[in-house]
Amino acid sequence: MAARTRLPLLFPKNLPPFRNQRLVQTEAAAKDPAYPPIVPSLTAKSKSALRRQVEEHVQKIRASPVEEKLALITRIQREKFVVYPQTFARDADRWYQHFTKTAYIPGLPEKFTLGQEHTGGEEGTPPAAAQTTVPGIENDAFADIRSMISRVILQEHWYQKKRKPFLYREQELTVGPVLRNLVSGLTYSLAKYNPLIPLCSLDLNPQVNFYWNRGQRIIPRGHRRGRLEPYRFQIDDHPHTQIRITQQLPEFAPLEASYDAEVPEITFAPNLMPMFRRQYVNNIFTGSKLPDPARYGHTQFHLVPDRYHRDRMARQQQSDQVEVFLRANGLASLFAWTGAQAMYQGFWNYEDVTRPFMSQAVITDGHFFSFFCYQLNTVALSVETDANNPRKNLLWGTESLRLYDSVQDGEVVGLNDNVIKLLVQFLMNQP
């Protein structure tokens, strides 16, 4: 029988070190999952299922080509607010700034104001007084452009004898030909100074459309009552003339300059503007189809409607709305045109623009001209994508400038050289 031994309570110091590694904490080797992850159902009536539906729809649009992407974005046709660029609603420009996230900056960008600072002539001065103020244009060329504009004005208001136009068609039948001949003459005269003009596309009476989401509401009634729904907007614009080019215009301001711009915040529903909802096909169109090489916008020309009368608005004590109408027209028209150009390049709500898009506009009633420049910095305007987006779109604009005073005895009285210079500078803008 083996004898029992008593072990001491204290271990001796000469024992070998503790080398058992099985109790040491180590990271387990990563293994591939044997089963696919659990995801919400696509057909369930839950918030997680709705999120998955939205995510898969977004991924499908991201992976699609541009033509199919536009079809998917505009596929669901629900009621939407129709934005009219030419509206007589009070303070429409502030509402449109909120709908498009656009900040208005009085005046024009620096590249256009530099030429105006050195102007040495007054209204109606001879062309020799202001020939050297337009960069890139020779003295004789500016004098020819000035005489061409005088001939265009006299052609419609002095040489031709026209009958009284139909009701509400005076602008179309009287000022429309003047503007059309003016744009054609300017593009022909400046073709040798701007290499983009010979390659441009001049559209007469085009159609421009844009569709987007901005803000949201709770559906008050119906089988979808209580659900969140985005506010949908549609612009259907018909400019008088527009110029499309093959290269993009240079930016008017850096993209980061829009971070500190202020956009009016409207807390009321759009139907209080007033604005009305309709249900029809959603359109995104720049005036040409996708394969057209002239895919970038240069300048639009708009005619005000016959209902727009400055003296009538003054009699109605609405003189403060004269420039509001023009600003709203320039903002909505340029946002629609420039936004559609960005959509044609593959950008949309969940894929914001990586570079600014620029366009210009001239609005006139035959005597007064207003000039606007627009820079599109973002198309991410929905509630989901606008949460942490500091970008804002920018609009520059001038007050109304009178081109001439009157036509007397076959002569144009008071022809304003400053307006001619701005027209030339707008068309001379190039990369």
Side-chain angles (χ1 to χ4, degrees), residues 357-370:
F357 286 77
M358 283 65 58
S359 296
Q360 305 170 151
V362 179
I363 305 176
T364 179
D365 60 355
H367 285 80
F368 292 90
F369 283 71
S370 299

Side-chain angles (χ1 to χ4, degrees), residues 58-275:
V58 170
Q59 295 300 326
K60 181 180 178 180
I61 297 178
R62 286 178 184 267
S64 302
V66 176
E67 188 172 1
E68 186 178 349
K69 184 179 294 186
L70 294 177
L72 290 172
I73 292 173
T74 59
R75 179 172 58 89
I76 300 178
Q77 299 178 16
R78 298 192 184 275
E79 284 191 342
K80 56 194 175 183
F81 288 100
V82 180
V83 179
Y84 296 97
Q86 296 181 337
T87 177
F88 290 92
R90 289 193 62 86
D91 299 328
D93 58 337
R94 292 179 54 83
W95 288 82
Y96 286 2
Q97 284 181 254
H98 172 71
F99 297 154
T100 61
K101 197 180 180 182
T102 301
Y104 175 70
I105 302 174
L108 291 177
E110 294 182 0
K111 63 185 306 180
F112 299 113
T113 56
L114 289 178
Q116 296 297 314
E117 294 175 358
H118 304 287
T119 301
E122 301 293 336
E123 295 185 6
T125 54
Q131 289 173 351
T132 59
T133 59
V134 181
I137 299 297
E138 300 175 355
N139 299 345
D140 297 338
F142 186 82
D144 294 340
I145 291 174
R146 192 177 190 277
S147 61
M148 181 271 298
I149 294 176
S150 299
R151 290 195 304 270
V152 168
I153 296 173
L154 293 175
Q155 175 69 21
E156 296 296 329
H157 295 282
W158 183 258
Y159 296 123
Q160 287 191 1
K161 303 298 181 182
K162 294 186 177 181
R163 65 179 183 180
K164 186 178 180 180
F166 298 103
L167 187 64
Y168 292 119
R169 294 190 64 188
E170 183 177 357
Q171 294 288 335
E172 175 188 352
L173 299 178
T174 304
V175 185
V178 176
L179 185 59
R180 187 178 299 112
N181 295 334
L182 179 65
V183 175
S184 301
L186 284 174
T187 53
Y188 176 80
S189 302
L190 299 175
K192 58 183 177 181
Y193 300 103
N194 189 346
L196 291 179
I197 292 181
L199 304 176
C200 74
S201 176
L202 182 62
D203 303 332
L204 302 178
N205 299 322
Q207 178 182 350
V208 177
N209 310 95
F210 190 63
Y211 169 79
W212 80 102
N213 297 336
R214 175 74 166 161
Q216 63 183 5
R217 66 160 188 160
I218 298 177
I219 301 176
R221 62 184 66 86
H223 70 282
R224 300 171 62 236
R225 179 180 58 188
R227 300 184 185 179
L228 287 176
E229 179 189 43
Y231 284 123
R232 300 175 176 89
F233 297 93
Q234 174 77 53
I235 294 179
D236 300 319
D237 192 24
H238 298 275
H240 181 271
T241 312
Q242 70 180 15
I243 300 174
R244 292 180 290 107
I245 54 178
T246 56
Q247 299 181 28
Q248 190 173 355
L249 290 177
E251 63 181 14
F252 299 121
L255 192 65
E256 295 77 12
S258 65
Y259 292 173
D260 299 330
E262 295 184 2
V263 177
E265 186 70 23
I266 306 295
T267 58
F268 302 105
N271 56 352
L272 298 178
M273 181 182 165
M275 189 178 290

Side-chain angles (χ1 to χ4, degrees), residues 160-430:
Q160 287 191 1
K161 303 298 181 182
K162 294 186 177 181
R163 65 179 183 180
K164 186 178 180 180
F166 298 103
L167 187 64
Y168 292 119
R169 294 190 64 188
E170 183 177 357
Q171 294 288 335
E172 175 188 352
L173 299 178
T174 304
V175 185
V178 176
L179 185 59
R180 187 178 299 112
N181 295 334
L182 179 65
V183 175
S184 301
L186 284 174
T187 53
Y188 176 80
S189 302
L190 299 175
K192 58 183 177 181
Y193 300 103
N194 189 346
L196 291 179
I197 292 181
L199 304 176
C200 74
S201 176
L202 182 62
D203 303 332
L204 302 178
N205 299 322
Q207 178 182 350
V208 177
N209 310 95
F210 190 63
Y211 169 79
W212 80 102
N213 297 336
R214 175 74 166 161
Q216 63 183 5
R217 66 160 188 160
I218 298 177
I219 301 176
R221 62 184 66 86
H223 70 282
R224 300 171 62 236
R225 179 180 58 188
R227 300 184 185 179
L228 287 176
E229 179 189 43
Y231 284 123
R232 300 175 176 89
F233 297 93
Q234 174 77 53
I235 294 179
D236 300 319
D237 192 24
H238 298 275
H240 181 271
T241 312
Q242 70 180 15
I243 300 174
R244 292 180 290 107
I245 54 178
T246 56
Q247 299 181 28
Q248 190 173 355
L249 290 177
E251 63 181 14
F252 299 121
L255 192 65
E256 295 77 12
S258 65
Y259 292 173
D260 299 330
E262 295 184 2
V263 177
E265 186 70 23
I266 306 295
T267 58
F268 302 105
N271 56 352
L272 298 178
M273 181 182 165
M275 189 178 290
F276 303 96
R277 293 195 302 165
R278 295 177 56 193
Q279 183 175 0
Y280 59 97
V281 63
N282 305 322
N283 291 322
I284 298 176
F285 190 62
T286 62
S288 66
K289 296 186 177 181
L290 277 173
D292 196 321
R295 57 177 60 92
Y296 297 106
H298 192 280
T299 306
Q300 279 186 342
F301 295 87
H302 294 263
L303 276 180
V304 298
D306 283 83
R307 292 176 55 201
Y308 179 80
H309 294 284
R310 295 171 181 268
D311 52 351
R312 180 186 301 173
M313 299 176 75
R315 290 195 303 268
Q316 296 174 350
Q317 298 182 356
Q318 294 185 2
S319 299
D320 58 330
Q321 300 299 309
V322 171
E323 300 297 334
V324 168
F325 176 92
L326 299 174
R327 281 197 297 269
N329 189 1
L331 192 155
S333 298
L334 286 179
F335 171 75
W337 197 33
T338 317
Q341 296 169 35
M343 289 283 195
Y344 272 31
Q345 299 300 314
F347 302 106
W348 64 295
N349 193 21
Y350 286 88
E351 291 178 287
D352 205 359
V353 297
T354 57
R355 63 186 189 276
F357 286 77
M358 283 65 58
S359 296
Q360 305 170 151
V362 179
I363 305 176
T364 179
D365 60 355
H367 285 80
F368 292 90
F369 283 71
S370 299
F371 299 85
F372 296 94
C373 299
Y374 196 86
Q375 178 168 315
L376 184 81
N377 295 324
T378 179
V379 292
L381 301 178
S382 65
V383 175
E384 297 81 10
T385 57
D386 191 34
N388 299 315
N389 183 15
R391 299 182 183 180
K392 301 176 184 67
N393 301 318
L394 300 176
L395 174 73
W396 291 265
T398 65
E399 301 289 334
S400 299
L401 303 175
R402 196 180 188 99
L403 177 61
Y404 66 97
D405 294 335
S406 62
V407 176
Q408 297 178 3
D409 300 329
E411 296 291 337
V412 179
V413 179
L415 190 61
N416 191 349
D417 289 331
N418 292 336
V419 179
I420 301 176
K421 293 172 201 171
L422 280 178
L423 286 171
V424 173
Q425 284 182 335
F426 264 45
L427 295 182
M428 283 294 294
N429 191 10
Q430 56 181 308

